[in-house]
Amino acid sequence: RPYALRGSPFLRPPVFACLTRLNAEFDAARRTTPGTLEININAQLKASHSRRLLEVELIGRSSGSVILRGSAWCSATTPDAKFSQVVVPPVPLASEETEVALSRFKALEKRPRLPLVSQNGHQSLGTVGCLSLTLEAEDVTADELANVYGRTQKPSSKKLDPNACGDVGPVLGKALQLSIRLAEGSGRKVELCSIEVETSPVAVNSEIRLCACMDKGSDQSPAILVTGWLHGKDVLRFRAVFRPSVE
């Protein structure tokens, strides 16, 4: 309810989720059929960190088997030119869960940033999409009162602010496609093992130049680095690790 947000620093509307970090591991050994896979991914809120990040656990299943596990860290941004971050609410956890969540966050912060790829690398273009969520405004009390008096509440909906940060999902898909092409460039077949992602908030319809190269010292398990450039600034860092295909 709107009055519950008065004076609260937590997610005062309108705010929009922005992916900051993503780590995922793919278990190809659990595949039951060759070729294209359809993966159903469940997301569960795990913790909040430093009043600025929400941690989400990702589990992907295909044909009943878990073949993907990962975590995403998201910030809350305002719909302005700077996409300013706002305070995120705490997630209630038991003391043991809090310690485990804190250790995960410390490990994340200690991890070095992914290397940059110069703008002279193998290139592709990716366009940032619109966030797909539509908010439906509901008022249960008003609906109950309307039913008592035999009236019908008019449904209302609220589209996301056009100035909200964009959805980088399509760009990540392009980065993965570019990585696969580069990993298979010598004619070898590979399977995806893991991905790491670092992103910054960007506007809808931004065209990001993706530049990729082979990560040094990764001949046995080829790893591809991708950097997304926008107006001379890196807004995406991506790393995909592969292994030789067993097919």
Side-chain angles (χ1 to χ4, degrees):
R1 293 180 180 274
Y3 64 76
L5 293 172
R6 292 175 185 169
S8 170
F10 301 133
L11 299 183
R12 303 183 72 176
V15 294
F16 304 92
C18 172
L19 178 67
T20 301
R21 301 284 290 270
L22 171 68
N23 300 323
E25 295 185 355
F26 182 75
D27 187 0
R30 290 180 174 269
R31 293 179 58 161
T32 56
T33 57
T36 303
L37 278 179
E38 180 177 320
I39 303 175
N40 295 318
I41 298 180
N42 295 326
Q44 181 179 0
L45 187 61
K46 295 295 289 184
S48 62
H49 302 285
S50 300
R51 295 167 58 88
R52 62 185 179 86
L53 291 176
L54 290 175
E55 180 186 355
V56 180
E57 180 185 51
L58 306 173
I59 297 179
R61 292 180 172 85
S62 179
S63 301
S65 298
V66 175
I67 61 173
L68 181 147
R69 292 184 182 274
S71 297
W73 288 265
C74 303
S75 61
T77 62
T78 56
D80 54 45
K82 295 182 178 180
F83 300 119
S84 304
Q85 291 189 6
V86 298
V87 175
V88 299
V91 177
L93 295 173
S95 58
E96 293 182 359
E97 294 176 321
T98 301
E99 292 179 3
V100 173
L102 183 59
S103 65
R104 289 196 302 266
F105 182 62
K106 287 182 177 179
L108 177 73
E109 287 196 313
K110 289 180 180 178
R111 185 176 300 174
R113 295 204 64 189
L114 295 174
L116 287 173
V117 179
S118 73
Q119 299 187 51
N120 297 322
H122 297 266
Q123 296 189 14
S124 179
L125 281 179
T127 303
V128 177
C130 297
L131 293 175
S132 57
L133 177 65
T134 298
L135 303 178
E136 296 293 339
E138 296 182 357
D139 191 331
V140 176
T141 303
D143 288 341
E144 291 176 350
L145 289 174
N147 290 332
V148 169
Y149 291 99
R151 299 175 182 175
T152 303
Q153 278 286 98
K154 294 182 179 180
S156 59
S157 63
K158 182 180 180 180
K159 297 290 185 180
L160 294 184
D161 193 305
N163 296 316
C165 62
D167 178 9
V168 296
V171 182
L172 296 183
K174 290 285 187 180
L176 182 56
Q177 292 173 9
L178 181 58
S179 299
I180 294 173
R181 288 202 305 269
L182 191 55
E184 294 184 338
S186 58
R188 57 185 171 184
K189 292 294 183 180
V190 296
E191 293 178 343
L192 180 64
C193 295
S194 65
I195 61 171
E196 297 178 62
V197 179
E198 303 172 10
T199 67
S200 302
V202 288
V204 175
N205 295 327
S206 298
E207 286 199 347
I208 297 177
R209 179 188 297 177
L210 299 172
C211 301
C213 71
M214 185 79 73
D215 195 3
K216 295 181 180 179
S218 59
D219 294 334
Q220 297 300 321
S221 296
I224 307 298
L225 295 171
V226 181
T227 299
W229 296 94
L230 180 65
H231 306 312
K233 179 182 178 182
D234 64 286
V235 295
L236 168 71
R237 300 190 188 196
F238 180 96
R239 185 174 188 263
V241 178
F242 300 88
R243 61 170 160 254
S245 176
V246 297
E247 295 180 10

